Amino acid sequence: MLSWSIAGALIASSLAVAGTPAAATTGRLISVTALHTYATRADVDAALTTDKFDPGTDRYGVRTYRLVYRTTDPTGRPTTASGLVALPINDEPRLRTVSFGHGTSIYKLDAPSTSDDVFLIGPALTFASAGFAAVAPDYLGLGVGPGPHPWMDVPSETTASLDLLRAARTFTARQGRQLARDVYASGFSQGASAALGLARALQSGADPYFRAVAVAPISGAYDFRHAEIPALFTPAVHPVLASAYTTYLLSAFDRLHDIYPYPGYVFRSPYVDLPELFDGTHPGEEILMALPPSIDDLLTPRGKAMLLHPTGRFADALAELDSVCTDWTPRMPVRLYYSPGDEEAVNANTEHCHATLGAPTVDVGVDTDYNGFVHEGSEVLGVPEVTRWFTALSS
């Protein structure tokens, strides 16, 4: 899940809004920044192949933009967020839309609209070059959005994704183009849950215009309580990444849900101050240097017990996170993409979602060339396959 391609590489080697009701402003476009122009299909091909993405679905050049827009924070208060929009360079006035949720980032600028890392922008380039309008939310607290990021908070991932769709609709209209009603949702790792959350919300009528027509998450952690957390204590997950995920989870959930009385309750000395590094202002290199070598070095006995046997607010928050595969019945095609032997979002997550949603799974194979990690490689392999499926469905 640490799709900080960043983390794999390292181990292998105030715009806040006030004064107006949230309901009146969500999705309102604040600003647009033109980012890059890939004038031809060949330019897109060249960009994608630098990070091992298959350019086989490319058809058009692409222009990318950063949108800043109004949304709400996890408490419902008005705030702002940013996201990437990628549009194909063609004469099509009406564009089908793909919403793609990125994987875990710890540093604010490691987000689609504020990074040139092809791992982060490659999915949007792929979908846009295939002829879709691609929108990629940074989520709350990442990109140029204010505050810390509420990691693995599906409700705010959903609202940030939906409000970016609304802002993108306004923006494309100003370009003399129109976003069609149909939304194809996808995402990788953390973004896999975000994609399911968005599809669920659209199916329930969260927006009067947009409707979800297919969802294709890649390598998600859909069963955090029963699959992902237990795996963190086993060799199935890289030990340093297990420390990183655990710290991010506990610090983000405590910030949002108040799940422990003080850091020393769950973190051993000298790691009691480690959660302070997960505020979005510290690059991955700094955090990885500060992490303990294993989760056993990180946690107190009470911290370990809390993770393995969650109760109270923590259990409720995990249930909400895992509900993307348990509390709805999709009325649209769903495919769950994965790579066997994923050492971050272990395959038991996909098996759980398959069992509860009844959605078919798609094995995209294994590519460990991307920083030596199966997990990151599953995005590189999965995005072109998802693009082909979405293209076939929309034909």
Side-chain angles (χ1 to χ4, degrees):
M1 290 162 4
L2 266 195
S3 89
W4 41 351
S5 55
I6 346 167
L10 289 165
I11 293 174
S13 55
S14 216
L15 292 165
V17 179
T20 51
T25 61
T26 54
R28 181 176 176 183
L29 182 61
I30 295 175
S31 68
V32 177
T33 302
L35 297 176
H36 299 289
T37 296
Y38 306 84
T40 67
R41 170 182 174 176
D43 293 333
V44 179
D45 290 355
L48 291 174
T49 54
T50 62
D51 222 24
K52 306 184 187 305
F53 282 88
D54 174 9
T57 60
D58 292 351
R59 295 173 60 198
Y60 307 108
V62 173
R63 290 190 177 94
T64 62
Y65 308 85
R66 179 191 307 121
L67 271 56
V68 178
Y69 59 97
R70 297 188 179 185
T71 187
T72 53
D73 71 11
T75 69
R77 294 189 180 94
T79 188
T80 62
S82 56
L84 182 72
V85 171
L87 300 180
I89 300 175
N90 61 16
D91 296 326
E92 178 59 52
R94 186 176 175 86
L95 298 170
R96 303 153 298 163
T97 305
V98 174
S99 175
F100 188 86
H102 69 84
T104 297
S105 294
I106 294 177
Y107 184 49
K108 292 179 76 72
L109 298 184
D110 289 330
S113 83
T114 52
S115 175
D116 290 328
D117 185 345
V118 177
F119 192 80
L120 287 167
I121 66 175
L125 293 181
T126 300
F127 292 122
S129 188
F132 296 93
V135 300
D138 295 334
Y139 311 137
L140 297 183
L142 297 174
V144 299
H149 170 54
W151 187 59
M152 299 306 291
D153 179 53
V154 171
S156 68
E157 292 166 359
T158 300
T159 53
S161 300
L162 179 53
D163 287 336
L164 178 58
L165 282 171
R166 293 165 172 156
R169 184 183 177 200
T170 299
F171 166 66
T172 53
R174 294 177 183 176
Q175 301 289 306
R177 309 176 84 173
Q178 181 181 15
L179 294 188
R181 293 186 66 198
D182 292 349
V183 175
Y184 300 79
S186 184
F188 165 68
S189 194
Q190 175 184 357
S193 294
L196 286 166
L198 174 63
R200 178 178 60 183
L202 290 175
Q203 179 175 289
S204 71
D207 187 85
Y209 180 76
F210 290 111
R211 63 186 179 190
V213 293
V215 58
I218 305 168
S219 302
Y222 315 110
D223 189 6
F224 233 94
R225 177 168 183 173
H226 300 106
E228 190 62 30
I229 287 176
L232 296 173
F233 293 88
T234 74
V237 177
H238 189 288
V240 175
L241 295 186
S243 294
Y245 285 131
T246 299
T247 307
Y248 208 1
L249 177 70
L250 291 175
S251 58
F253 274 41
D254 184 61
R255 190 181 296 121
L256 197 56
H257 304 289
D258 189 21
I259 61 172
Y260 52 79
Y262 52 91
Y265 186 88
V266 292
F267 297 106
R268 290 182 182 273
S269 178
Y271 303 109
V272 291
D273 295 328
L274 192 58
E276 296 176 9
L277 297 181
F278 287 76
D279 64 354
T281 67
H282 299 271
E285 298 95 328
E286 180 182 350
I287 292 172
L288 288 169
M289 292 290 291
L291 288 169
S294 75
I295 195 171
D296 288 328
D297 297 308
L298 175 71
L299 296 176
T300 66
R302 288 180 297 193
K304 182 175 181 179
M306 189 173 76
L307 276 174
L308 292 176
H309 307 287
T311 59
R313 287 187 293 267
F314 187 37
D316 292 342
L318 290 172
E320 181 177 64
L321 169 58
D322 294 340
S323 69
V324 292
C325 286
T326 60
D327 74 345
W328 69 303
T329 301
R331 298 192 299 272
M332 69 199 74
V334 180
R335 288 184 177 180
L336 306 171
Y337 291 75
Y338 75 101
S339 283
D342 193 317
E343 69 288 86
E344 296 181 47
V346 295
N347 294 147
N349 287 287
T350 298
E351 294 163 5
H352 162 81
C353 199
H354 165 68
T356 53
L357 283 188
T361 60
V362 180
D363 180 345
V364 299
V366 174
D367 180 359
T368 58
D369 287 343
Y370 198 92
N371 296 332
F373 282 81
V374 173
H375 185 61
E376 278 76 8
S378 69
E379 178 185 277
V380 174
L381 293 170
V383 164
E385 294 304 310
V386 172
T387 304
R388 292 183 177 95
W389 185 49
F390 286 170
T391 301
L393 289 174
S394 62
S395 298

